[in-house]
Amino acid sequence: MTVRTRFAPSPTGYMHIGNLRTALYEYLIAKADADGKFILRIEDTDQKRYVEGATDIIYATLKQVGMNWDEGPDVGGNYGPYVQSERKPIYAEYAHKLVELGGAHYCFCSKAEAEEEKDEEQNMKFQDPCKRLSPEEAKKRIAAGEPYVVRQTINKKGKSKYHDEVYGDIEIDYDELDEGVLLKSDGFPTYNFANVVDDHLMNITHVVRGNEYISSTPKYNLIYETFGWTPPHYVHVPPVMKDAQHKLSKRNGDASFQDLVAKGYLPEAIINYIALLGWNPGNEDEIFSLDELKKVFSIERLNRSPAIFDIVKLTWMNGQYIRKLSEEEFFAHAEPYIRKALTREVDIRALSRVLQPRLETFGAIPEQIAFIEQVPDYSADLYINKKMKTDQEISRQALIYAAERLEKISDWTNDNLFAELKSLAEEKGMKNGQIMYPVRIALSGLATTPGGATELAVILGKQETLERIKSALNKLG
């Protein structure tokens, strides 16, 4: 059996973290099989929630993280169309067949009631009990243009039993299942019907979705059973949580994939992190490229417990990826953030080299380099540092020595500046830190900086360095 999985998002906005994780697991399950196929299907039957441009966001996101699909709306395939709104005749055909087979029935109402209908997904005006008409009478009403929906028929008693790859064997009473709408009055199917028809016709072998669908799966299996079709392997996964009580949700202001990228997180780091939100490799390893995930991922190691989205852990992981970038790759990412934050002419290449070993997100760059534009107002007490063995008087004298030495230097490189200030400290009988620390404070006005004293001096240039030291001496009297 060739493994065929599908990612079937609704084009309703940005890519939520939970949706992207579902896509990733679908992709990895497919790619674990040498001949496996990953299919993209757009589920746009809920027209009220459709957002213009959202489909393009789906395409862009998957491509950005490297999850290329084998079949889909833009690349074609043997099982199209891959957009549900283009498959309406297919759903109508199978809905009527299901009625004929006894797995569904028609419900009718007046045109006025249909026009007043507000909830397109459930069509509550057509709720049961509705009069079960003979097939002949139903056909007459349909031919006469009377509004109707197709609603599932559930006449089984006892328990539905099925196997889930994560939760094992599951039993649910048929009495707990409602006879939901399958085909709406506007001719569009509901998710509960379209996903079954499409998964069967597209030969989908594995379905990954949230565990909130566990209780609905018996309804899907009844449709498979009525048609004589074989259900796919079910892989229900727990939700991604904001905390112990709340699901991660864009409507509550939680970050989407696009938000995280805009804040300076690398797509590769995001994918790596969300793979671990519900799955573990069975050892202590945490850093995986997408290609490495293809080799180590297995359904058996998916967890049943909800995963909490930890932005601190993601930020740490993003820092690991940043440090693995080449100097040129890092600069390509960092340059737009640097240029947007600065108006002063500085050596941005040198600044980029200083930032890379210390940065965790590119979005943190503006805050980290704000001192380059202007030294913040700071207290002279900042020059008091027990570890560096400095106080205000020692710092004042160190800055006088440093200004005299720096004024004479023409080779304004980090190695040379460091050697000169180190030599200066030795000449004056001082510790290296007693020279370097005051210079760094003078140049930045900050206790912590993305670089040492001489690195900041190179970035700022000779003239600005000397001017800032002069201003610091004025502060120290």
Side-chain angles (χ1 to χ4, degrees), residues 44-186:
D44 61 345
T45 58
D46 189 351
Q47 294 291 293
K48 287 175 69 175
R49 297 179 61 224
Y50 177 80
V51 174
E52 191 68 37
T55 301
D56 292 332
I57 291 175
I58 293 168
Y59 292 159
T61 300
L62 294 180
K63 289 177 181 176
Q64 199 170 0
V65 299
M67 287 194 289
N68 298 313
W69 49 101
D70 300 294
E71 300 172 23
D74 57 335
V75 298
N78 297 327
Y79 300 90
Y82 293 90
V83 178
Q84 285 189 333
S85 59
E86 299 172 13
R87 298 171 64 84
K88 281 177 67 176
I90 297 173
Y91 305 127
E93 175 190 350
Y94 280 95
H96 295 312
K97 281 185 180 179
L98 193 63
V99 172
E100 292 173 7
L101 293 169
H105 57 275
Y106 299 108
C107 284
F108 294 85
C109 76
S110 70
K111 290 184 179 180
E113 287 177 316
E115 289 172 2
E116 291 174 6
E117 178 54 58
K118 300 300 182 184
D119 189 340
E120 288 190 13
E121 186 63 25
Q122 296 300 325
N123 287 91
M124 297 305 294
K125 294 285 186 185
F126 297 87
Q127 59 190 327
D128 276 347
C130 65
K131 185 179 179 182
R132 305 295 175 94
L133 304 175
S134 67
E136 293 74 17
E137 179 62 25
K139 287 179 182 178
K140 286 179 183 178
R141 292 198 180 192
I142 293 172
E146 223 174 294
Y148 70 95
V149 298
V150 175
R151 190 181 291 275
Q152 187 168 14
T153 299
I154 299 175
N155 51 23
K156 280 201 170 187
K157 298 298 179 184
K159 292 183 180 292
S160 166
K161 300 178 182 179
Y162 71 93
H163 181 77
D164 180 76
E165 300 294 333
V166 177
Y167 290 89
D169 294 332
I170 294 172
E171 293 186 358
I172 294 175
D173 288 334
Y174 283 114
D175 289 343
E176 296 178 12
L177 308 180
D178 64 297
E179 295 190 326
V181 171
L182 303 180
L183 194 69
K184 297 179 285 187
S185 57
D186 59 5

Side-chain angles (χ1 to χ4, degrees), residues 266 272 287-289 292 317-327 329-330 356:
L266 291 166
N272 187 160
I287 306 299
F288 297 96
S289 67
E292 289 168 340
M317 187 171 286
N318 197 67
Q320 303 302 304
Y321 273 83
I322 282 177
R323 278 174 274 293
K324 288 168 64 177
L325 296 173
S326 69
E327 185 177 311
E329 288 171 334
F330 178 84
Q356 185 171 4

Side-chain angles (χ1 to χ4, degrees), residues 190-203:
T190 61
Y191 169 82
N192 289 333
F193 187 54
N195 87 88
V196 173
V197 172
D198 288 344
D199 288 345
H200 170 72
L201 296 180
M202 294 181 183
N203 287 340

Side-chain angles (χ1 to χ4, degrees), residues 211-252:
N211 65 2
E212 66 269 24
Y213 289 101
I214 285 177
S215 60
S216 299
T217 299
K219 296 195 291 187
Y220 310 147
N221 284 343
L222 284 174
I223 298 174
Y224 280 108
E225 184 181 314
T226 303
F227 281 123
W229 299 340
T230 301
H233 294 276
Y234 293 118
V235 185
H236 289 97
V237 292
V240 179
M241 306 292 285
K242 181 176 184 176
D243 53 44
Q245 287 79 37
H246 304 93
K247 289 184 181 180
L248 207 63
S249 171
K250 176 66 174 175
R251 70 181 61 183
N252 292 332

